């Protein structure tokens, strides 16, 4: 088991142990209080305290779970940042692959069928695509797609279908990509328009349609679409992809000047390593050399633990009150 993964698992297990101990102590103290104060007779005070104790245990459980999962998520996010922020796909693959293999053996129960598992596996699949190895990405995504625990959620089916489409486009398998694109359209038709991610899913459908068309050397409306996309806030990785797509569009249209312009931008931005490397190779074949990109460092978002700690403190109030006033 990788060290970072072991730390995350240990923190989650520690949280479970703390909660179990807290619950056991609360129950023991309640029976102790009930016996010595009321000789196992029900009274209004006993019932009120019992209700408060149960509420306290529930709040403590929510708090400790959020706290430990939050800390574990930070550890996992640091690993993901090698892909998302530092754009170091090879390092991320080295860190994530052993964890995925370990999870596939079913040894980490709290990871099983969880959002963390989906997130980590999809991140690894994305890394494979960025690294120019779509077959491995397809293998992971197909495995997730075959698991009924995952695909029972419409948004997960959409995400997996989308990721598979992109992987097949990178693989240049236009037939399979087109088949999946039709499936994506059908899923989107069944999607609730009032969901907050509906508009994003529609935009991604447009993006994937244009990408598939470009793969088939059809560029109608694509240049205008992606030029407009560049005017919107984009991640550095996606911006590199857009530059690359525009370079391909202008190559197909025979506009070498703009093709070279966007090949340069693709190479100089460099956050999507596979396409940036391809751009450098094409430029080199044209006798144009470009410097290696200098990737900016991004600071990850900080996570607040105030709410989980407050929930745990409130959950302890009945126990503390009993300990101070009655025992």
């Amino acid at each position: 088991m990788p060290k970072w993964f072991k730390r995350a698992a240990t923190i989650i297990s520690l949280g479970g142990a703390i909660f179990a101990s807290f619950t056991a102590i609360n129950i023991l103290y309640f029976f102790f209080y009930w016996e010595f104060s009321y000789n196992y007779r029900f009274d209004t005070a006993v019932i009120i305290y019992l209700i408060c104790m149960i509420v306290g245990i529930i709040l403590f459980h929510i708090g400790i779970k959020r706290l430990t999962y939050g800390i574990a998520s930070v550890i996992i996010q640091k690993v993901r940042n090698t892909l998302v922020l530092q754009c170091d796909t090879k390092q991320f693959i080295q860190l994530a692959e052993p964890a995925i293999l370990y999870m596939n053996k079913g040894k980490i129960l709290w990871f099983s069928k969880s959002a963390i598992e989906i997130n980590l596996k999809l991140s690894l699949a994305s890394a494979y695509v960025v690294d120019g190895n779509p077959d491995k990405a397809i293998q992971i995504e197909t495995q997730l797609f075959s698991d009924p625990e995952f695909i029972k959620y419409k948004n997960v089916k959409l995400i997996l279908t989308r990721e598979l489409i992109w992987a097949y486009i990178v693989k240049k398998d236009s037939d399979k990509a087109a088949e999946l694109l039709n499936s994506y359209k059908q899923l989107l038709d069944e999607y609730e328009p009032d969901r907050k991610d509906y508009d994003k899913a529609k935009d991604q459908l447009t993006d994937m349609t244009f990408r598939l068309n470009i793969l088939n050397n059809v560029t109608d409306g694509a240049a205008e679409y992606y030029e407009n996309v560049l005017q919107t806030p984009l991640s550095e990785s996606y911006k590199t992809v857009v530059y690359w797509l525009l370079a391909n569009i202008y190559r197909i249209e025979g506009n070498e000047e703009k093709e070279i312009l966007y090949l340069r931008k693709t190479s100089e931005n460099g956050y999507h390593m596979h396409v940036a490397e391809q751009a450098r190779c094409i430029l080199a074949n044209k006798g144009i050399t470009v410097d290696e990109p200098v990737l900016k460092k991004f600071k990850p978002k900080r996570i607040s633990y105030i709410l989980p700690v407050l929930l745990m403190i409130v959950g302890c109030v009945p126990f503390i009150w009993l300990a101070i006033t009655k025992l």
Side-chain angles (χ1 to χ4, degrees), residues 144-272:
L144 288 172
F145 219 109
S146 63
D147 193 324
E149 285 296 319
F150 290 134
I151 62 170
K152 65 183 179 182
Y153 303 106
K154 288 183 180 179
N155 63 325
V156 175
K157 287 179 73 173
L158 268 177
I159 292 168
L160 287 173
T161 305
R162 180 196 69 204
E163 296 297 324
L164 276 168
I165 292 168
W166 284 338
Y168 277 110
I169 287 174
V170 171
K171 191 180 177 181
K172 298 184 179 180
D173 188 340
S174 58
D175 292 337
K176 188 63 178 178
E179 179 187 331
L180 287 166
L181 190 62
N182 287 329
S183 299
Y184 190 90
K185 290 176 183 176
Q186 292 173 5
L187 287 170
L188 198 57
D189 289 339
E190 299 169 4
Y191 216 53
E192 296 85 355
D194 57 341
R195 288 182 65 116
K196 62 181 181 180
D197 55 347
Y198 180 77
D199 290 336
K200 183 179 179 180
K202 283 187 68 177
D203 290 340
Q204 288 169 341
L205 173 62
T206 305
D207 178 31
M208 290 183 292
T209 303
F210 276 121
R211 290 201 201 192
L212 183 57
N213 288 342
I214 293 166
L215 183 61
N216 293 321
N217 292 326
V218 178
T219 62
D220 296 345
E224 182 182 0
Y225 172 77
Y226 285 112
E227 292 280 8
N228 289 333
V229 167
L230 285 176
Q231 307 308 313
T232 62
L234 302 174
S235 68
E236 293 297 331
S237 179
Y238 185 53
K239 189 185 293 183
T240 308
V241 172
V242 173
Y243 289 149
W244 171 248
L245 291 169
L246 282 165
N248 279 275
I249 291 165
Y250 289 122
R251 173 185 57 79
I252 294 167
E253 293 180 351
N255 189 334
E256 188 176 15
E257 182 181 348
K258 283 198 170 183
E259 178 196 356
I260 291 173
L261 170 66
Y262 282 107
L263 284 172
R264 281 184 177 276
K265 287 179 178 288
T266 303
S267 175
E268 289 166 0
N269 207 53
Y271 283 88
H272 196 298

Side-chain angles (χ1 to χ4, degrees), residues 6 20 42 44 47 49 67 69 78 192 199 206 230 323-324:
K6 189 174 183 178
F42 274 105
T44 304
I47 295 171
Y49 177 74
L67 180 65
Y69 270 73
K78 285 181 180 178
E192 296 85 355
D199 290 336
T206 305
L230 285 176
I324 293 174

